[in-house]
C-alpha cells in the first residue's frame, strides 16, 4: 500500500509540471523560462588607452589614443581615434576610424570600414581617406593585438600592427610593453611615407589603477623611422629617431 501511495504522488507531481519540463525530466528548463543571456542586447564600451604628455628630444607633444564599440556579442560598431600635437604650437595630426566588427572566433573581431587622416595647424590643412580591413583580439599568452590593412583613396596600400601586454606586478600596479610597426607598399612623399618598413615604436608604461577604470601612468617610448620615410624626415629637417619620457592617464567606461 505504501508503494502505491508513492507512485500516485509522483504521478500528480509530474502532471503539475509544464509539458516540456515533464517530457525532459525534473531538472529540465521550462519552455517559458526567460534566458539569462540575450545575445542581441546591445552594450557599449569606451577606452582612452593613452592620453599623455611626452617630453621628446625635440618639441614636446600631447598625444591621444582612444577607441570604443557599441553592439552585441557578434556585431559591433567600432570607433577609433588617435593623434598628436606639439605643445608649443597649434600644428598636429588626427586619425579617425569607423568600423563594422564581426566576431569570427572567441576574443577576435574581423573589422572593415573607413579611416580619415587630417593635418591641421599654421600650414595648409591636408586630408586623405582609406578603406580598412583588420582583425583585433586577444592572441595566445594574452597579447592584445590590432592588425590592419589600409587602401588610400589613391590606391596606396599600407599596414599597421600593434601589440600590447599587461604584466601585473601587483593587483593595481601594471607594466605594459607596447610595440607598433607601420609599413607601406608604395611611396607617398607628400605624407612622408616611404615604401617598405616606415617606423617602429617601442613603449613601456607603468600604471597604477586607483580604480580599474582610472589609472595614471609614466613611461618611455622609442621611435625610429626607416628607409625612405627616414630620408623624407631628414629632408624636412626632422629627426629620424626619438626617445620620449611620458606621463598620462588611462580610462575606460
Amino acid at each position: 500500500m505504501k508503494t502505491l501511495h508513492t507512485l500516485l504522488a509522483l504521478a500528480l507531481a509530474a502532471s503539475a509540471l509544464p509539458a516540456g519540463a515533464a517530457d525532459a525530466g525534473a531538472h529540465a528548463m521550462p519552455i517559458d523560462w526567460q534566458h539569462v543571456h540575450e545575445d542581441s542586447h546591445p552594450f557599449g564600451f569606451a577606452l582612452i588607452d593613452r592620453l599623455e604628455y611626452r617630453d621628446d628630444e625635440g618639441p614636446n607633444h600631447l598625444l591621444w589614443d582612444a577607441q570604443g564599440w557599441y553592439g552585441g556579442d557578434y556585431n559591433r560598431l567600432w570607433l577609433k581615434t588617435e593623434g598628436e600635437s606639439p605643445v608649443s604650437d597649434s600644428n598636429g595630426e588626427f586619425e579617425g576610424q569607423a568600423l563594422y566588427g564581426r566576431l569570427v572566433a572567441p576574443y577576435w573581431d574581423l573589422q572593415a570600414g573607413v579611416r580619415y587622416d587630417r593635418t591641421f595647424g599654421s600650414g595648409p590643412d591636408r586630408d586623405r581617406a582609406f578603406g580598412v580591413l583588420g582583425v583585433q583580439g586577444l592572441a595566445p599568452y594574452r597579447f592584445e593585438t590590432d592588425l590592419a590593412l589600409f587602401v588610400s583613396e589613391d590606391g596606396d596600400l599600407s599596414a599597421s600592427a600593434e601589440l600590447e601586454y599587461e604584466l601585473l606586478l601587483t593587483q593595481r600596479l601594471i607594466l605594459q610593453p607596447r610595440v607598433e610597426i607601420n609599413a607601406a607598399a608604395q611611396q607617398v612623399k607628400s605624407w612622408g611615407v616611404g615604401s617598405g618598413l616606415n617606423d617602429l615604436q617601442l613603449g613601456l608604461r607603468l600604471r597604477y589603477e586607483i580604480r580599474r577604470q582610472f589609472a595614471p601612468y609614466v613611461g618611455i617610448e622609442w621611435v625610429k623611422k626607416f628607409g625612405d620615410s627616414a630620408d623624407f624626415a631628414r629632408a624636412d629637417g626632422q629627426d629620424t629617431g626619438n626617445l620620449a619620457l611620458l606621463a598620462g592617464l588611462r580610462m575606460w567606461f
Side-chain angles (χ1 to χ4, degrees):
M1 181 61 71
K2 185 176 181 180
T3 302
L4 179 59
H5 287 169
T6 302
L7 292 174
L8 288 173
L10 290 173
L12 289 173
S15 64
L17 292 172
D23 292 342
H27 299 288
M29 181 182 297
I31 293 175
D32 58 349
W33 187 267
Q34 296 294 320
H35 292 281
V36 176
H37 299 287
E38 178 55 66
D39 291 337
S40 62
H41 186 77
F43 296 93
F45 176 76
L47 168 66
I48 302 174
D49 193 28
R50 294 182 293 162
L51 179 62
E52 62 192 29
Y53 176 87
R54 302 167 64 93
D55 185 3
D56 295 296
E57 293 178 341
N60 298 335
H61 285 75
L62 295 174
L63 178 144
W64 72 89
D65 180 3
Q67 60 180 271
W69 56 261
Y70 181 80
D73 292 338
Y74 294 93
N75 302 293
R76 293 175 177 175
L77 170 64
W78 286 81
L79 298 175
K80 303 180 181 181
T81 178
E82 62 178 278
E84 62 179 358
S85 176
V87 177
S88 56
D89 57 48
S90 59
N91 296 319
E93 56 188 29
F94 161 86
E95 174 188 317
Q97 297 184 35
L99 307 170
Y100 164 72
R102 170 71 182 180
L103 184 72
V104 293
Y107 307 115
W108 286 98
D109 260 21
L110 177 66
Q111 300 173 340
V114 294
R115 166 185 155 188
Y116 177 73
D117 287 7
R118 186 175 184 85
T119 63
F120 53 89
S122 56
D125 292 356
R126 297 179 299 156
D127 62 358
R128 58 178 180 168
F130 297 82
V132 183
L133 179 64
V135 291
Q136 182 171 351
L138 192 63
Y141 300 101
R142 304 185 65 81
F143 282 92
E144 294 280 354
T145 306
D146 190 352
L147 310 174
L149 286 173
F150 307 102
V151 181
S152 77
E153 56 194 357
D154 298 321
D156 304 310
L157 182 65
S158 57
S160 71
E162 297 180 24
L163 296 173
E164 292 183 353
Y165 185 79
E166 295 192 344
L167 179 61
L168 273 67
L169 304 179
T170 70
Q171 289 297 317
R172 293 183 180 273
L173 194 62
I174 298 170
L175 188 65
Q176 182 190 57
R178 180 179 184 275
V179 178
E180 180 176 343
I181 301 172
N182 294 289
Q186 292 88 16
Q187 185 182 100
V188 186
K189 188 175 181 179
S190 59
W191 286 84
V193 175
S195 59
L197 180 62
N198 297 146
D199 59 70
L200 169 66
Q201 302 175 27
L202 299 176
L204 190 62
R205 291 167 175 80
L206 179 65
R207 72 173 185 264
Y208 182 79
E209 293 187 340
I210 298 173
R211 299 178 59 188
R212 294 301 179 202
Q213 297 90 341
F214 183 84
Y217 63 81
V218 294
I220 59 173
E221 187 164 86
W222 177 73
V223 180
K224 179 67 176 177
K225 294 183 178 180
F226 301 96
D228 294 339
S229 297
D231 294 338
F232 295 147
R234 290 190 195 95
D236 201 29
Q238 301 177 11
D239 295 327
T240 59
N242 180 62
L243 179 63
L245 302 176
L246 49 93
L249 293 173
R250 184 181 190 271
M251 296 173 282
W252 60 268
F253 312 95

